[in-house]
Amino acid sequence: MMKTCSLLIVVGLLLGAVRAYAVEFVITDFGAEAGATTLNTAAIQKAIDTAEQQGGGTVVIPPGVFRSGSLFLKPGVGLHLAEGAVLKGSENIEDYPKRMTRIEGHFEPWRMALVNAQGMSGVRIDGAGRLDGSGPVFWRAFWQRRKENPKCTNLEVERPRLMFIDRCTQVSIEGIALTDSGFWNLHLYRCRDVRIEGVRITIPSSGPDLRAPSTDGIDVDSSQQVVIRRCIISTHDDNIALKGSKGPHADKDADSPPVEDIIVEDCEIGDGNGLITCGSEATIVRNVTVRNCLMTGHATVLTLKLRPDTPQHYENITLDGIRLAGSGRLLNVAPWTQFFDLQGQPPPSRRVNGITLRNISGAYRTMGVLRGNPGDVLEDFTLENVNITLADEKFILGAVDKLVLKHVSVNGRPFVLPAMTE
């Protein structure tokens, strides 16, 4: 009897949640207007706030282009973008408030995203519509500053993310498209139980003459139990980045728990820095499974950035069933020295172990690089059932303990490891 009652309570709660999200609040009913000139931030936020006040529901962006600054979802309020709907980020950086926020492995006052959810359980964002970050104006500002100061950091020119999901649980993001983000597209920080499915992330719309800096696809920052499925990601930076903290004391950073229990499957990856990238700021990353993905651009399959100023441990990362139909690298495991700072401390240690690439087929550009900083421990790497065609068979190989090749063929011949380089 007790079990039956408990089950009925759970079912009732679930049905209640479904009913709450079923109530729709269409933004045009709150004064939002489609078009290039109207800034709809206040009207859309009013729809969100009203939905929360009335017990929850789904805020609907109907067909049309609706310009807005930062929006903040509330508990019990989902966001749905109808087919033909475009939520277009303002080109004015002042429409994105500056608040203390997580960015590049630490906290500082910086601009909020176009869509924000913070400290919530049950985040729902879905639909066939699109978020457009109006990126070109922000990219041009960055490159102008880089021209003035070639050593300027990534954060020197403020640029908004498209989505920031901050310390949330039971997150579902499904079906939407993200394009032309000013900075990172989708940033998860300290989230758990996340499902991202059928999302399309692309950069840029402005042609080959304008690169889009820092436009990571999905940043999984200090988060656990994340599933990324059936997504298409093509960017000018990391495709899926697993992130944490950085610096010689990063392993003591209570704000950066390990990234762990990540599944990526049935995705298509175009251009970018890596289907999976660990870094640029990361400490512990473990238990990552990637399966049945297609590489169609120049993205690297696996990138492990080894910062000489940061204690790092990457372990138990498996990529299984990767089809190559592009022009990228298989591996980029190498020192990462951009803006590193030992802060007067001795170099910390880094360890990478339990890395497996299995059932890899198709055509690509090169094997890439596998080497660490002096003192790094790289061990237990396995390449198994690899049958690929490469334009360049060059493989830069450093010291690796227990590097195992099983049935590895390149250009129709058994692959022979090159001599190790220092």
Side-chain angles (χ1 to χ4, degrees):
M1 182 66 178
M2 185 63 70
K3 289 184 178 179
T4 302
C5 290
S6 298
L7 179 60
L8 289 173
I9 290 171
V10 171
V11 171
L13 290 172
L14 290 173
L15 290 175
V18 170
R19 284 195 296 270
Y21 280 109
V23 180
E24 293 189 347
F25 297 80
V26 182
I27 63 169
T28 48
D29 293 339
F30 295 83
E33 297 180 358
T37 59
T38 303
L39 185 67
N40 294 288
T41 313
I44 300 173
Q45 191 63 52
K46 183 179 179 181
I48 294 169
D49 295 345
T50 301
E52 182 197 24
Q53 293 161 7
Q54 295 187 10
T58 298
V59 170
V60 176
I61 313 292
V65 178
F66 296 87
R67 195 165 64 92
S68 178
S70 292
L71 301 168
F72 297 87
L73 297 180
K74 298 295 180 67
V77 180
L79 180 66
H80 177 80
L81 288 88
E83 185 172 0
V86 178
L87 183 61
K88 187 169 177 60
S90 168
E91 294 186 349
N92 183 354
I93 193 64
E94 298 302 325
D95 291 328
Y96 306 88
K98 182 183 288 189
R99 298 182 180 178
M100 188 65 70
T101 189
R102 173 76 168 194
I103 197 76
E104 286 200 350
H106 67 288
F107 290 87
E108 68 169 85
W110 218 60
R111 300 293 174 170
M112 299 303 291
L114 177 59
V115 175
N116 303 270
Q118 299 177 282
M120 293 169 48
S121 180
V123 177
R124 287 190 178 190
I125 302 171
D126 62 19
R130 174 163 56 96
L131 300 183
D132 182 335
S134 299
V137 65
F138 302 109
W139 308 336
R140 291 189 183 98
F142 176 82
W143 291 122
Q144 178 60 35
R145 180 57 183 153
R146 178 62 63 87
K147 183 179 179 180
E148 298 164 354
N149 174 20
K151 295 183 179 181
C152 81
T153 68
N154 295 330
L155 300 183
E156 195 164 319
V157 175
E158 295 175 329
R159 292 165 285 157
R161 294 159 285 186
L162 262 181
M163 300 176 67
F164 179 40
I165 313 299
D166 176 15
R167 286 169 276 208
C168 294
T169 60
Q170 297 179 350
V171 177
S172 175
I173 301 172
E174 185 173 0
I176 61 173
L178 284 69
T179 187
D180 288 354
S181 182
F183 197 71
W184 298 346
N185 280 268
L186 170 52
H187 180 194
L188 306 170
Y189 171 62
R190 294 197 72 168
C191 293
R192 181 179 291 272
D193 298 328
V194 178
R195 181 176 63 90
I196 302 170
E197 186 159 0
V199 172
R200 183 183 183 95
I201 301 173
T202 55
I203 297 289
S205 67
S206 301
D209 296 332
L210 182 60
R211 298 289 296 175
S214 306
T215 48
D216 295 2
I218 301 173
D219 287 280
V220 181
D221 180 357
S222 307
S223 297
Q224 303 80 39
Q225 298 174 8
V226 177
V227 176
I228 301 170
R229 180 183 296 126
R230 295 192 304 104
C231 294
I232 297 173
I233 306 174
S234 184
T235 76
H236 284 181
D237 211 312
D238 302 326
N239 302 92
I240 299 172
L242 309 182
K243 289 182 170 288
S245 189
K246 60 184 175 182
H249 304 296
D251 55 345
K252 300 179 179 63
D253 184 356
D255 291 321
S256 301
V259 175
E260 57 188 346
D261 301 331
I262 310 299
I263 294 175
V264 178
E265 59 185 3
D266 301 320
C267 291
E268 180 180 329
I269 305 298
D271 295 335
N273 283 353
L275 160 56
I276 294 293
T277 297
C278 295
S280 306
E281 45 281 338
T283 46
I284 298 175
V285 177
R286 60 193 177 205
N287 303 337
V288 178
T289 300
V290 182
R291 54 196 176 216
N292 302 329
C293 291
L294 172 65
M295 312 291 296
T296 59
H298 65 244
T300 301
V301 176
L302 176 63
T303 295
L304 303 180
K305 298 178 180 179
L306 301 171
R307 289 185 64 108
D309 63 349
T310 301
Q312 297 174 314
H313 189 184
Y314 305 148
E315 65 173 340
N316 298 336
I317 300 175
T318 298
L319 295 96
D320 188 349
I322 309 299
R323 291 165 292 146
L324 308 177
S327 57
R329 296 175 291 188
L330 196 65
L331 289 168
N332 181 24
V333 181
W336 178 256
T337 58
Q338 185 185 54
F339 307 125
F340 85 96
D341 182 3
L342 284 168
Q343 302 173 26
Q345 301 297 313
S349 61
R350 284 155 300 281
R351 183 183 180 201
V352 181
N353 65 283
I355 310 298
T356 300
L357 281 74
R358 179 190 300 126
N359 300 323
I360 314 295
S361 62
Y364 233 40
R365 182 171 60 84
T366 185
M367 288 288 287
V369 57
L370 174 54
R371 64 180 179 88
N373 299 279
D376 288 353
V377 176
L378 277 59
E379 60 184 359
D380 296 326
F381 277 71
T382 300
L383 300 178
E384 182 178 1
N385 293 337
V386 176
N387 185 358
I388 56 179
T389 300
L390 296 178
D392 182 355
E393 294 186 22
K394 185 177 181 180
F395 187 24
I396 301 173
L397 180 63
V400 181
D401 187 25
K402 300 178 185 176
L403 173 56
V404 177
L405 274 60
K406 299 180 181 178
H407 309 296
V408 177
S409 175
V410 174
N411 294 337
R413 302 182 303 275
F415 184 67
V416 178
L417 288 174
M420 291 186 180
T421 59
E422 294 299 328

